Amino acid sequence: MRSHPEIERLKQYLIDFKIDVRKTKSLDSNNHVFWVRYTINDDCWDILIDDEFNHFSEQNPLINFYLTLVALEEYIESDDYLAWCKLYNLDASNMSWLNYYKSLKKTYKQIERILGKIDSEISSFDYTLQTGLGKALSEYTGI
């Protein structure tokens, strides 16, 4: 199997920071959008992720870590709350989503303080089309 430095960097983060990502609860209306418990060393956060392709798996912690990084990147790159809700197909009038969205600023900063710059390493384009690094990540079984 060809070596991919981007995938190796993600793998090294998992090892160095003892990162664990566990699915905790699916949204009733959308099974590919769900909550995960994201743990770095002894710190934990609940993060909403979108797993459109159902790749999240206990057998592939690298994908789980990647999807969580993507969720954090999507938050920081979203123009505003309404754009973020649209991305996740959430009801923007639900104040619990607004509260969660506001809490992501603190979560993002806390995680960034630990990991450094948050970078999923693999473009969402490659991942969505399952080409190049996206396909390699989906097929990775090295952990």
Side-chain angles (χ1 to χ4, degrees):
M1 180 174 188
R2 185 175 162 238
S3 175
H4 299 283
E6 298 87 349
I7 291 175
E8 291 304 315
R9 281 193 294 273
L10 290 175
K11 179 182 171 186
Q12 202 58 51
Y13 271 101
L14 279 175
I15 295 166
D16 291 350
F17 292 96
K18 299 175 184 81
I19 295 170
D20 184 59
V21 183
R22 304 243 180 221
K23 185 176 183 177
T24 57
K25 181 180 166 188
S26 292
L27 299 185
D28 293 336
S29 62
N30 203 339
N31 286 330
H32 66 83
V33 176
F34 52 85
W35 292 101
V36 297
R37 173 60 51 99
Y38 183 72
T39 306
I40 302 174
N41 296 319
D42 293 325
D43 297 310
C44 295
W45 301 269
D46 291 318
I47 297 177
L48 189 68
I49 66 168
D50 184 352
D51 180 21
E52 179 179 4
F53 303 107
N54 295 314
H55 286 158
F56 192 95
S57 166
E58 287 188 28
Q59 288 73 40
N60 193 340
L62 204 56
I63 282 271
N64 305 348
F65 177 46
Y66 170 79
L67 291 170
T68 308
L69 292 174
V70 168
L72 293 168
E73 288 175 339
E74 288 171 342
Y75 159 73
I76 210 69
E77 293 169 2
S78 66
D79 292 330
D80 58 26
Y81 170 67
L82 293 177
W84 180 83
C85 282
K86 186 174 182 179
L87 183 66
Y88 282 82
N89 197 28
L90 300 172
D91 177 7
S93 68
N94 182 332
M95 289 298 104
S96 64
W97 292 128
L98 179 60
N99 292 335
Y100 171 69
Y101 179 81
K102 288 179 179 180
S103 76
L104 277 173
K105 182 176 185 176
K106 181 179 178 183
T107 297
Y108 186 94
K109 286 182 178 190
Q110 289 172 333
I111 293 170
E112 186 178 47
R113 199 172 303 120
I114 296 167
L115 297 181
K117 182 179 185 284
I118 294 174
D119 183 354
S120 63
E121 298 283 344
I122 299 164
S123 78
S124 58
F125 183 76
D126 277 349
Y127 181 73
T128 299
L129 295 179
Q130 286 296 282
T131 60
L133 285 171
K135 184 175 182 180
L137 176 66
S138 297
E139 296 171 349
Y140 190 82
T141 57
I143 296 179

